[in-house]
Amino acid sequence: LSRQNSGVAGPWESDLTAVQHSLKFVKKLEEHYVCPTCKGVVLNPHQTGCGHIFCYRCIQGLLENSPATTPACPLDRGLIKSDEVFQDNCCKREISNLEVYCTNSPNCSHRMTLCRLQEHLQACPFESLQCSNAGCSEVMQRKDLQEHLRINCSYRMEPCHYCKHP
Amino acid sequence: STPTSLQGGTPLQGYDVEFDPPLESKYECPICLMALRAAVQTPCGHRFCRSCIEKSIRDTGQRCPVDNEVLREDQLFPDNFAKREILSLMVRCTNVGCTDKMELRRLDGHVTKCEFATVPCLLCQDA
Ligand SMILES: [Zn+2]
Ligand SMILES: [Zn+2]
Ligand SMILES: [Zn+2]
Ligand SMILES: [Zn+2]
Ligand SMILES: [Zn+2]
Ligand SMILES: [Zn+2]
Ligand SMILES: [Zn+2]
């Protein structure tokens, strides 16, 4: 797409696509951090020649959907030329420092910068998980997993009543 | 004080004007410490006035002055987002007695017809 390796997203944003539209920012998200195409916060921001900022995924979609013609920017109808598009790492840094509430709020009261959200969700007690036992498809919050594994799971291993082996 | 032209004067450093509210640091050039003029962005995500960073690359080498990342002149992208934002920031006319406030993009036009502009005296040619 551009002269830089645009496809590479920072590790903190690579998994945010799933929660992109449910992110809750502490301060109202400034207009220019909102992607004109998907209306979520821009992930892996790329700037066009007309000075608008899109997710990499969205600008790539625009360029691929009209391979024969030059796509127009939805905001100002300016032509989006792929050689003018660049990875806006300044915008990326600004966004990574925006404060968000945990996506499991109000259950979880944590707030952190956007680049720390993934790390938090890996440990958040209120994050939904599927039981790790083979055959069990039950989904619960992380804080309830231990008890489920120990007591409630129909697929848990139990010591055999006869030989005491699991 | 003399009005700062949006075009004139070389080398073209940033806009040395009075912003109200004050300029946010993200729109300040790390080299000339003024508001970015013809803003460009580097792959490492730093913004400079085009002439400031081109001069820096020529004089002090192919490095970003902020984080020392390798930086060639052909890697500079015009940051038209920052440029548009900066031109729409509010500034004050610097002529003594003038209280006008306008978008930066209108300052040049205002200064040419500002009632408080200092004009050279027709008799003695002093400003
Ligand atoms: Zn998008
Ligand atoms: Zn545009
Ligand atoms: Zn949480
Ligand atoms: Zn289970
Ligand atoms: Zn400068
Ligand atoms: Zn840099
Ligand atoms: Zn004036």
Side-chain angles (χ1 to χ4, degrees):
Chain A
L1 178 64
S2 77
R3 284 173 263 173
Q4 301 163 38
N5 33 344
S6 310
V8 193
W12 60 269
E13 41 179 12
S14 54
D15 294 323
L16 287 179
T17 318
V19 293
Q20 185 181 17
H21 290 88
S22 44
L23 291 171
K24 280 169 249 159
F25 290 88
V26 174
K27 283 194 199 139
K28 189 182 178 303
L29 194 59
E30 286 177 67
E31 194 186 346
H32 53 261
Y33 293 143
V34 177
C35 171
T37 297
C38 71
K39 314 291 184 201
V41 62
V42 278
L43 292 182
N44 194 3
H46 278 61
Q47 192 183 138
T48 59
C50 58
H52 290 120
I53 303 170
F54 296 76
C55 309
Y56 174 67
R57 189 169 32 89
C58 293
I59 196 86
Q60 204 186 23
L62 281 176
L63 291 168
E64 280 169 4
N65 286 340
S66 47
T69 56
T70 315
C73 170
L75 292 181
D76 57 6
R77 311 313 298 167
L79 293 182
I80 299 178
K81 302 184 190 121
S82 59
D83 62 337
E84 291 176 349
V85 174
F86 70 97
Q87 187 170 31
D88 193 328
N89 285 325
C90 194
C91 176
K92 183 172 178 158
R93 186 184 308 114
E94 288 167 12
I95 284 173
S96 75
N97 287 319
L98 296 178
E99 271 209 300
V100 290
Y101 294 106
C102 175
T103 44
N104 298 314
S105 78
N107 288 337
C108 175
S109 61
H110 259 76
R111 52 191 257 189
M112 63 233 101
T113 58
L114 185 57
C115 60
R116 299 240 167 251
L117 178 62
Q118 274 311 318
E119 185 183 305
H120 168 74
L121 291 179
Q122 306 289 320
C124 175
F126 299 97
E127 182 73 346
S128 292
L129 301 172
Q130 196 179 335
C131 173
S132 51
N133 282 340
C136 179
S137 57
E138 223 175 293
V139 173
M140 71 221 81
Q141 295 180 342
R142 176 175 282 115
K143 65 181 174 53
D144 301 325
L145 182 63
Q146 281 313 316
E147 184 170 294
H148 169 86
L149 287 175
R150 207 157 31 83
I151 303 162
N152 305 325
C153 183
S154 337
Y155 295 87
R156 69 189 189 278
M157 299 287 207
E158 288 237 301
C160 171
H161 289 304
Y162 304 100
C163 67
K164 302 295 178 201
H165 277 322
Chain B
S1 59
T2 49
T4 308
S5 170
L6 297 189
Q7 276 90 40
T10 39
L12 282 178
Q13 292 188 309
Y15 300 110
D16 186 14
V17 293
E18 190 192 333
F19 289 88
D20 186 10
L23 186 70
E24 288 177 83
S25 63
K26 63 180 177 180
Y27 296 136
E28 187 182 281
C29 170
I31 296 176
C32 68
L33 306 179
M34 293 184 259
L36 296 161
R37 188 193 298 266
V40 293
Q41 197 181 128
T42 64
C44 52
H46 292 115
R47 292 180 179 135
F48 302 93
C49 307
R50 178 173 284 282
S51 67
C52 288
I53 189 65
E54 284 178 347
K55 184 171 190 303
S56 161
I57 289 175
R58 254 178 281 125
D59 296 353
T60 60
Q62 301 191 329
R63 296 270 171 191
C64 168
V66 175
D67 56 9
N68 222 26
E69 289 283 327
V70 173
L71 174 65
R72 297 184 320 268
E73 215 169 297
D74 65 352
Q75 291 177 307
L76 300 172
F77 273 92
D79 194 327
N80 291 324
F81 162 75
K83 182 177 171 183
R84 186 176 55 232
E85 291 286 304
I86 289 164
L87 287 174
S88 60
L89 296 175
M90 298 304 282
V91 299
R92 288 188 175 283
C93 175
T94 49
N95 286 334
V96 179
C98 181
T99 54
D100 278 14
K101 217 173 136 173
M102 68 225 84
E103 288 189 354
L104 175 59
R105 70 176 85 248
R106 310 227 173 278
L107 182 62
D108 253 8
H110 167 83
V111 162
T112 57
K113 55 180 176 34
C114 175
E115 292 171 46
F116 297 90
T118 14
V119 287
C121 169
L122 291 176
L123 301 178
C124 64
Q125 302 298 314
D126 272 349

